[in-house]
Amino acid sequence: MMDCVLFRHGIAIERDEWDGPDADRRLTERGAKRVAQVAAGLKWLEVQPTHIFSSPLVRAVETADILHASLHIPSAVQLVDELLPDAPPDRLLSLFRDLPSRSCVLCVGHEPHLGLAASVMLAGKPSKAFPFKKAGACLIEMAVPVRASHGTLGWWMGPAQLRAMGKKQTKMDV
Protein backbone atom coordinates (compact mmCIF):
# COMPACT_ATOMS: atom_id res chain seq x y z
CA MET A 1 0.00 0.00 0.00
CA MET A 2 1.03 3.58 -0.68
CA ASP A 3 -0.50 6.61 1.00
CA CYS A 4 -1.23 9.74 -1.00
CA VAL A 5 -2.13 13.00 0.72
CA LEU A 6 -3.64 15.54 -1.64
CA PHE A 7 -3.37 19.10 -0.29
CA ARG A 8 -4.73 22.31 -1.78
CA HIS A 9 -2.51 25.38 -1.46
CA GLY A 10 -3.27 27.97 1.22
CA ILE A 11 -5.03 31.31 0.85
CA ALA A 12 -3.34 33.38 -1.85
CA ILE A 13 -3.64 36.99 -2.94
CA GLU A 14 -6.90 37.41 -4.85
CA ARG A 15 -6.65 37.55 -8.65
CA ASP A 16 -8.28 40.99 -8.83
CA GLU A 17 -5.73 42.36 -6.32
CA TRP A 18 -2.75 40.97 -8.26
CA ASP A 19 -1.31 42.68 -11.31
CA GLY A 20 1.33 40.08 -12.21
CA PRO A 21 1.08 36.65 -13.84
CA ASP A 22 -1.31 34.27 -12.06
CA ALA A 23 1.53 31.75 -11.64
CA ASP A 24 3.33 34.25 -9.37
CA ARG A 25 0.48 34.88 -6.92
CA ARG A 26 1.79 34.37 -3.39
CA LEU A 27 0.21 33.19 -0.16
CA THR A 28 -1.16 35.90 2.08
CA GLU A 29 0.26 36.18 5.59
CA ARG A 30 -2.99 34.65 6.86
CA GLY A 31 -2.71 31.87 4.27
CA ALA A 32 0.83 30.97 5.37
CA LYS A 33 -0.20 30.99 9.04
CA ARG A 34 -3.16 28.71 8.36
CA VAL A 35 -1.03 26.25 6.39
CA ALA A 36 1.31 26.00 9.40
CA GLN A 37 -1.70 25.37 11.67
CA VAL A 38 -3.01 22.71 9.30
CA ALA A 39 0.45 21.08 9.25
CA ALA A 40 0.11 20.65 13.03
CA GLY A 41 -3.17 18.85 12.36
CA LEU A 42 -1.43 16.53 9.91
CA LYS A 43 1.13 15.77 12.64
CA TRP A 44 -1.71 14.93 15.03
CA LEU A 45 -3.04 12.52 12.39
CA GLU A 46 0.49 11.03 12.26
CA VAL A 47 0.94 11.84 8.57
CA GLN A 48 4.62 11.19 7.82
CA PRO A 49 5.33 11.94 4.16
CA THR A 50 8.40 10.38 2.57
CA HIS A 51 8.01 12.41 -0.65
CA ILE A 52 6.52 15.80 -1.48
CA PHE A 53 5.45 16.96 -4.93
CA SER A 54 4.22 20.46 -5.71
CA SER A 55 2.78 22.40 -8.57
CA PRO A 56 5.39 24.92 -9.75
CA LEU A 57 3.01 27.87 -9.18
CA VAL A 58 4.31 30.13 -6.39
CA ARG A 59 1.35 29.73 -4.00
CA ALA A 60 1.69 25.93 -4.14
CA VAL A 61 5.48 26.04 -3.72
CA GLU A 62 5.15 28.31 -0.67
CA THR A 63 2.56 25.91 0.79
CA ALA A 64 4.82 22.92 0.09
CA ASP A 65 7.79 24.66 1.72
CA ILE A 66 5.79 25.26 4.92
CA LEU A 67 4.59 21.64 5.00
CA HIS A 68 8.09 20.35 4.21
CA ALA A 69 9.61 22.21 7.17
CA SER A 70 6.73 21.51 9.58
CA LEU A 71 6.48 17.80 8.85
CA HIS A 72 10.26 17.21 8.56
CA ILE A 73 9.91 15.48 5.20
CA PRO A 74 13.20 13.74 4.34
CA SER A 75 13.11 14.35 0.59
CA ALA A 76 13.27 17.74 -1.15
CA VAL A 77 10.15 19.35 -2.63
CA GLN A 78 9.87 18.21 -6.25
CA LEU A 79 8.12 20.61 -8.64
CA VAL A 80 6.01 18.69 -11.14
CA ASP A 81 3.80 19.77 -14.03
CA GLU A 82 1.40 16.92 -13.18
CA LEU A 83 0.04 19.16 -10.39
CA LEU A 84 -0.60 22.23 -12.53
CA PRO A 85 -4.24 23.39 -12.50
CA ASP A 86 -4.87 22.33 -16.11
CA ALA A 87 -2.93 19.02 -16.07
CA PRO A 88 -4.88 15.86 -16.95
CA PRO A 89 -5.82 14.38 -13.54
CA ASP A 90 -4.81 10.82 -14.44
CA ARG A 91 -1.21 11.93 -15.16
CA LEU A 92 -0.64 12.33 -11.42
CA LEU A 93 -0.71 8.55 -11.00
CA SER A 94 2.37 8.20 -13.20
CA LEU A 95 4.45 9.99 -10.52
CA PHE A 96 3.76 7.21 -8.02
CA ARG A 97 4.77 4.23 -10.14
CA ASP A 98 8.52 4.48 -9.45
CA LEU A 99 8.23 5.14 -5.71
CA PRO A 100 8.74 2.45 -3.05
CA SER A 101 5.49 0.70 -2.15
CA ARG A 102 5.52 1.92 1.48
CA SER A 103 5.76 5.59 0.48
CA CYS A 104 3.60 8.39 1.79
CA VAL A 105 3.36 11.03 -0.93
CA LEU A 106 2.20 14.57 -0.21
CA CYS A 107 0.93 16.38 -3.34
CA VAL A 108 0.33 20.13 -3.18
CA GLY A 109 -1.80 21.57 -5.93
CA HIS A 110 -4.94 23.43 -7.02
CA GLU A 111 -8.63 23.09 -7.62
CA PRO A 112 -10.32 21.72 -9.64
CA HIS A 113 -7.33 19.52 -10.52
CA LEU A 114 -6.93 17.89 -7.08
CA GLY A 115 -10.62 17.03 -6.84
CA LEU A 116 -10.54 15.52 -10.32
CA ALA A 117 -7.39 13.54 -9.46
CA ALA A 118 -9.01 12.25 -6.26
CA SER A 119 -12.03 11.06 -8.24
CA VAL A 120 -9.74 9.24 -10.71
CA MET A 121 -7.95 7.51 -7.81
CA LEU A 122 -11.19 6.56 -6.07
CA ALA A 123 -13.72 6.04 -8.88
CA GLY A 124 -11.63 5.72 -12.05
CA LYS A 125 -12.90 8.83 -13.84
CA PRO A 126 -12.79 12.60 -13.33
CA SER A 127 -15.69 14.09 -11.39
CA LYS A 128 -16.32 17.40 -9.66
CA ALA A 129 -17.79 15.52 -6.67
CA PHE A 130 -14.62 15.93 -4.57
CA PRO A 131 -13.84 19.67 -4.12
CA PHE A 132 -11.03 20.88 -1.84
CA LYS A 133 -11.09 24.04 0.25
CA LYS A 134 -7.86 26.06 0.46
CA ALA A 135 -5.49 24.23 2.84
CA GLY A 136 -7.85 21.23 2.86
CA ALA A 137 -6.53 17.71 2.42
CA CYS A 138 -7.41 14.06 2.02
CA LEU A 139 -5.62 10.75 2.43
CA ILE A 140 -6.08 8.11 -0.25
CA GLU A 141 -4.58 4.66 0.29
CA MET A 142 -3.43 3.23 -3.03
CA ALA A 143 -2.87 -0.42 -3.81
CA VAL A 144 0.46 -1.12 -5.52
CA PRO A 145 0.86 -1.11 -8.46
CA VAL A 146 -0.99 2.21 -8.51
CA ARG A 147 -3.99 2.27 -10.83
CA ALA A 148 -7.08 4.42 -11.31
CA SER A 149 -10.12 3.40 -9.22
CA HIS A 150 -8.02 1.28 -6.83
CA GLY A 151 -7.72 3.91 -4.10
CA THR A 152 -9.49 3.84 -0.75
CA LEU A 153 -10.40 7.05 1.06
CA GLY A 154 -8.74 7.20 4.47
CA TRP A 155 -10.04 10.67 5.42
CA TRP A 156 -11.11 13.97 3.86
CA MET A 157 -10.94 17.18 5.90
CA GLY A 158 -11.36 20.86 5.48
CA PRO A 159 -8.87 23.36 6.89
CA ALA A 160 -10.97 24.15 9.99
CA GLN A 161 -10.98 20.47 11.01
CA LEU A 162 -7.25 20.16 10.45
CA ARG A 163 -6.51 23.37 12.36
CA ALA A 164 -8.62 22.10 15.30
CA MET A 165 -6.53 18.93 15.35
CA GLY A 166 -3.43 21.09 15.14
CA LYS A 167 -4.47 22.80 18.38
CA LYS A 168 -4.56 19.35 20.03
CA GLN A 169 -1.08 18.64 18.64
CA THR A 170 0.22 21.95 19.96
CA LYS A 171 -1.15 21.17 23.44
CA MET A 172 0.55 17.75 23.32
CA ASP A 173 3.89 19.37 22.36
CA VAL A 174 3.81 21.73 25.37
Side-chain angles (χ1 to χ4, degrees):
M1 294 297 286
M2 176 182 294
D3 288 341
C4 176
V5 177
L6 300 177
F7 193 100
R8 185 176 178 193
H9 66 80
I11 301 166
I13 298 169
E14 293 294 329
R15 284 186 180 104
D16 60 349
E17 297 173 11
W18 183 253
D19 58 2
D22 183 62
D24 294 340
R25 280 193 303 127
R26 306 182 65 81
L27 293 180
T28 63
E29 186 176 320
R30 179 175 174 231
K33 180 180 178 182
R34 288 202 167 183
V35 169
Q37 293 168 338
V38 165
L42 294 176
K43 278 187 195 178
W44 189 84
L45 288 168
E46 299 182 355
V47 173
Q48 298 176 326
T50 55
H51 300 82
I52 182 167
F53 296 123
S54 175
S55 156
L57 302 190
V58 171
R59 57 195 176 273
V61 173
E62 290 177 336
T63 299
D65 287 343
I66 294 166
L67 295 170
H68 183 264
S70 298
L71 298 173
H72 310 290
I73 301 170
S75 65
V77 175
Q78 294 180 52
L79 304 183
V80 296
D81 290 344
E82 289 83 353
L83 283 164
L84 284 168
D86 59 352
D90 57 329
R91 282 190 42 208
L92 186 58
L93 295 175
S94 66
L95 293 177
F96 308 148
R97 293 203 172 103
D98 293 331
L99 297 176
S101 62
R102 283 290 179 199
S103 297
C104 177
V105 184
L106 175 57
C107 297
V108 181
H110 313 269
E111 267 300 290
H113 178 263
L114 287 179
L116 297 171
S119 67
V120 167
M121 292 177 193
L122 297 168
K125 61 183 179 177
S127 166
K128 293 186 179 183
F130 300 100
F132 283 81
K133 289 187 174 189
K134 291 176 183 165
C138 76
L139 170 73
I140 299 176
E141 299 162 347
M142 301 292 295
V144 177
V146 174
R147 294 191 316 259
S149 80
H150 284 76
T152 302
L153 183 62
W155 49 260
W156 193 292
M157 292 188 211
Q161 294 166 300
L162 290 164
R163 287 193 315 271
M165 290 179 179
K167 288 179 184 176
K168 292 179 185 181
Q169 177 66 37
T170 303
K171 287 179 185 176
M172 289 173 44
D173 288 344
V174 173

